[in-house]
Structures are given as C-alpha cells and as structure tokens.
Amino acid sequence: MTLLLDIAVRGSLVLAVGLLMCVALRRRAPALRHAVLVVALTMAPLIAPLGLLLPAVAVPLPGLSRIAALMPSQVAPPAPARLAARPRTKSAALQAGVEAARRPTTPDANVRWTTVAATLWALGAALLFGSLLASTVRLAVATRRARPVDRPSWTTALASSTRAAGVARTVRLKESPRADMLATWGWRRPCLLIPAGALDWPDERIRIVLGHELAHISRGDWVWQMHATVVRAVLWWNPLAWMACHQLSVESERACDDSVLALGVAPHAYAEQLLAVARALRAAPPSSPAIAVSMARPSTLHRRIAAMLNPDLPRSTPSRLTTAVLVGAVLALLVPVAVIRGAIAQAPLEGVVYDSSGAVVPEVRLTLDGNGRKAEATTDAEGRFAFPAVEPGAYVLESAVRGFRVLRQPIDLKAPTDWSRVITLQLGTLKETISVRGRRGSGAATAPAGPVRVRVGGNIRPPKKLKDVKPVYPSSSQEAGHEGVVEIEAVIGKDGSVSAARVTSAEIYPELAAAAMDAVRQWTFSATLLNGTPVEVVMNVSISFGLE
C-alpha cells in the first residue's frame, strides 16, 4: 500500500502544481497555460517511476520519528511471546490447540486493501479505456461515411488557411452526414469533419471555422488531448486529473481563438459567427468530447466569448523560446517532487530476540556498528532490546551467544518500519576432529581423539557421544601412500543417531572418504535439547589420515 500511496501523493502534487501555475498565468497567453498543463499531465503518472531512477534526496521529517517510535508495539508479532508462555502439560496444550483452531483467521490487512485498491483501479481504467476505444471506432466510422468536400468556397479557403497556419500535412476535408458534427482529429493524416448543410455557410464563417480548426492541427491539439484522455483513464480516481484534462481543452480552444483573431478577424464578428455555429450544431456528438477537438463546445462558449471581447488580455502567440523556458521551469519544480524522500531524523532501534523454537532469549548482548557510531544493548527478561536515538543509515547488528551461530546482520534504516526488528538466533554446530595415523606398507593404526564441541550452552543442552567408532585406515591406501583430510557434515537427529552425512571435501581419495563415512554413521549421541525439546543439530567432522 505504501507504493500506491506514494504514486497517488506525488501525482497529485504534480497536477496541483500545474493547475496552480495556470492560475498564476491567467493574465498570460492561453498557449503558455496549455504547455504547462501538457507537462503536468505527462509527469503525473511518471513522477513515481522517475523517482526510482533519479538519486533520492532524504529530507529529515520529525513526524516520521514519532511514527517509528510506535512501530515496535505494532510490528513485533505477539505470536512468539505466546509461544514462550505455552502450556506445560499435554492436556493444557491440547486444549490450547483446540481453542486456536476455533479462532477465526483474518488475512493480512495490508495485502487485502492493496488487492482491493488494485482491483478498483483496474476496473475504472478498463471502463475509461473501453469508452475511449468505442469513441475512436465511432469517429472512424463517421469519417469513412463522410463525403469529400469539393465546393470551391471551401477548397479555396482551405488552401489559403493551410498556408496561413503553416500546416505542411494534407488535411482531409469531409462533410459528415450528421448535422451536429464539427470536429478535427488525426495526426499524420488529419481530418476535418464539417456538419451536413455547412457547404452553404457564408464565406466569413467558413474562413473563421477553417482558421480555428487548422490552428488545432498546427498546434497538435488532438495528440495532446488524446494524451490527456489516456492519463485521465490511468488516474481516473484523482479529481485533479479530471480538472487538468478539462482545463487543457479550454486552453487549447482559447489559444486557437487567439490564432483566428491574429488573422485580422474582428472580435465581435468572431463572437457572432461562433454563436451561429453553436446554434447550427445544437449539441456536440457523443464521441467528440473524448477524442476529437470541437470548435463550438457549449460548456466553454461563454468564457471564450468573454475572453475574446476583453481587449486587455494578451493575444500574441508566445515564441518557442518562451514556451521552452516555461516548460523548463515547470520541470525544475517537479523534479524535487520525484527525488525528495521523507527520512527519519532519529528514532530508537528496538526489537525482540527469539530462538528457533519461538521462545524469547534474555541477556543477549547486541552491538550496533556503522554510520560513525558503535553502541551496545542487552535484551531484558522478555527478550526486548533498544538502541536509543539511531539515525538513518547502514549498520551491522552483531551478537555472539554461546550455543548459537554468530549473528552478523547488515541492516539499512530508511522506512519507519526499519526501526523495528525481530531477531531469530539459529542453533550452532558441533565440531569433532579426529587424526588417524598409519604406517606405510603396514597395517592400519589409529590415534584416537575426543570430540571438541564449541558454541553450545545457555538454554541448550549439548549432546554427548554414547557410541564412538574409530575410523580405520584402509590398508590399500596405506600401501599406495594415500593421505588426506576428510571433511564431513553430519546431522544428529532428535533421537541422537546420525540421520544424514555427506563429504564436503573437494579432493579426497574415495577409500579414505568411505572409511570416514562408515565410522561416522555408526556414532550415537544423547538428544540435543533446546528449552527441553529435542532438536536436530549439525556437526562438522574433520578426520585426518596420515602416514608415518
């Protein structure tokens, strides 16, 4: 859930920055605001992945320290504590097992809510993408059914307007069979659909309509509107995405209005013709708001007319340099949103130490080394430890407890949950070294050696060897002069017998390995007890065969 929240927060910040900059630039040209919104809508879904690629900048947040201070009581699982206080008798253990079986189990809340959120997002995105696909199909079908326009009043005006707008691509001009469709769509082969009955429009209206629609083509507004629609489908749950997408459409229409006025059309004449077109169309088609650019959209008509009749508003189209500088400024504001990471200033590093049976281990001395500091802590009667005021960074947590393997665990403290640790100590291994001596060309001779057991103790009762079988130096090996050290890893089962054994030496004569394995498999031990319970333990055996 943390990743989903990170994407949601950072994407919302990007969209908020874009919308606020549009408010700050309300006295500037609409084309500038349109460029700002394009950058914001592009960066919103990419800001979180971009943050993973760029170097992170940690900013200490005291609030996260208080959150981390609460983590041990929330994160440390209570199950091992219950294991430490498990029933002492068989009947009590059986009753506890029955009660535990009756107790309902609940799935992890974080996994459950993450799954629900991902499912809801997928359903909403699929619905909007399906609507976009259906609108594209309807518009493509309408374009195929439309008839090419060959009326001189339109074709002549199209040629002159295309040159004035600086459009180098061929624009398809078609008459739709519907009386309510006026829209421009397409990129490489743009298409301008005019409504049925528009062939008889007056020349001034034709000139204004073509000037407006060709401005859309010159600016690439259909591509940007499609891009915004896709982003809105991805971020459908965010109201800021809907606001930015709507405002992008508004700014593109106003920027094209300014382009028409720059051709020398009087504002009042433009307003009259725009109202006449809106009355002729009556209502926008269902497909045009999603993927086509419509000139006379009723929802924006009032504000557009008010803007074109306001002589104080700037009309000039900003230069490419001005637009590039503004876009660069927006990116400079958005990059910190991607790279800044909230970091904990200081918080206590706390946790619990258990053994492999789930019981807590008291009086364990731990050492924390790294990041310019070295500190020690000891677990209490409940197995808990605490290092006060630990800063973020990379550390090594070390501990050496008799009977357990040496603990050397690297830890990296970043997120609030990193300050809460659960440590499980693993059983140590036994080691026995035996030296077998023989004479060259004569019978076998052995030199017995007793087992050397290390790293056992505490709440562990180590095993004792009950049956010892000495390895025999094979006579064939003595005659051939073969020597070597056989390393064996053996597992002492719960009943004290050697349940498994394997040779770990990389280079050893097969006769020597077989002799060593034959002896080790016959050994028996008393049971190894961890907190009174028999457990398996690993024993490393080293048998040296040498000749005198």
Side-chain angles (χ1 to χ4, degrees), residues 230-461:
V230 171
V231 172
R232 185 180 62 184
V234 174
L235 305 177
W236 62 266
W237 45 267
N238 194 334
L240 294 177
W242 293 80
M243 294 172 59
C245 191
H246 170 73
Q247 193 62 31
L248 184 76
S249 175
V250 171
E251 300 300 346
S252 68
E253 295 297 334
R254 292 188 58 181
C256 292
D257 290 340
D258 289 347
S259 297
V260 174
L261 295 176
L263 296 175
V265 179
H268 66 277
Y270 186 19
E272 291 177 359
Q273 294 299 330
L274 188 61
L275 288 174
V277 171
R279 285 193 295 266
L281 297 180
R282 297 189 301 275
S287 59
S288 63
I291 59 171
V293 182
S294 180
M295 174 181 177
R297 192 167 296 167
S299 60
T300 63
L301 203 57
H302 176 74
R303 286 190 297 173
R304 288 169 58 193
I305 292 176
M308 69 179 63
L309 295 178
N310 187 349
D312 297 329
L313 293 180
R315 306 287 183 197
S316 59
T317 302
S319 64
R320 292 184 178 181
L321 178 61
T322 302
T323 304
V325 170
L326 182 63
V327 170
V330 176
L331 290 175
L333 291 175
L334 296 184
V335 167
V337 178
V339 301
I340 288 179
R341 297 286 185 273
I344 295 176
Q346 285 186 349
L349 175 62
E350 301 178 343
V352 186
V353 177
Y354 301 98
D355 61 23
S356 57
S357 70
V360 298
V361 184
E363 299 183 2
V364 175
R365 180 173 295 179
L366 299 167
T367 302
L368 185 67
D369 190 5
N371 205 22
R373 65 170 290 172
K374 188 171 185 178
E376 292 185 353
T378 304
T379 58
D380 57 16
E382 296 181 351
R384 295 185 176 274
F385 66 89
F387 293 94
V390 179
E391 299 178 351
Y395 297 87
V396 176
L397 191 62
E398 299 178 336
S399 177
V401 181
R402 190 165 177 262
F404 295 93
R405 296 180 184 177
V406 174
L407 173 70
R408 183 177 176 81
Q409 179 178 345
I411 58 176
D412 195 6
L413 303 181
K414 292 180 179 180
T417 53
D418 295 338
W419 271 256
S420 177
R421 295 282 167 173
V422 175
I423 307 297
T424 301
L425 299 178
Q426 302 297 329
L427 288 176
T429 58
L430 303 175
K431 185 171 181 63
E432 182 157 334
T433 303
I434 297 176
S435 178
V436 183
R437 309 299 296 173
R439 296 183 180 277
R440 299 181 187 274
S442 61
T446 61
V452 179
R453 300 180 178 88
V454 297
R455 296 183 297 180
V456 292
N459 52 356
I460 299 176
R461 195 186 78 177

Side-chain angles (χ1 to χ4, degrees), residues 184-268:
T184 300
W185 75 290
W187 174 45
R188 298 183 63 180
R189 297 182 60 199
C191 180
L192 172 56
L193 295 176
I194 60 175
L199 296 180
D200 298 327
W201 281 356
D203 292 342
E204 184 178 18
R205 186 181 304 174
I206 294 174
R207 178 189 173 206
I208 289 175
V209 169
L210 289 177
H212 183 96
E213 299 301 330
L214 288 171
H216 278 306
I217 296 175
S218 176
R219 290 167 37 83
D221 285 338
W222 181 80
V223 176
W224 296 122
Q225 197 63 38
M226 280 288 291
H227 168 72
T229 305
V230 171
V231 172
R232 185 180 62 184
V234 174
L235 305 177
W236 62 266
W237 45 267
N238 194 334
L240 294 177
W242 293 80
M243 294 172 59
C245 191
H246 170 73
Q247 193 62 31
L248 184 76
S249 175
V250 171
E251 300 300 346
S252 68
E253 295 297 334
R254 292 188 58 181
C256 292
D257 290 340
D258 289 347
S259 297
V260 174
L261 295 176
L263 296 175
V265 179
H268 66 277

Side-chain angles (χ1 to χ4, degrees), residues 28 60 124 149 547:
R28 308 295 294 179
V149 175
L547 298 173

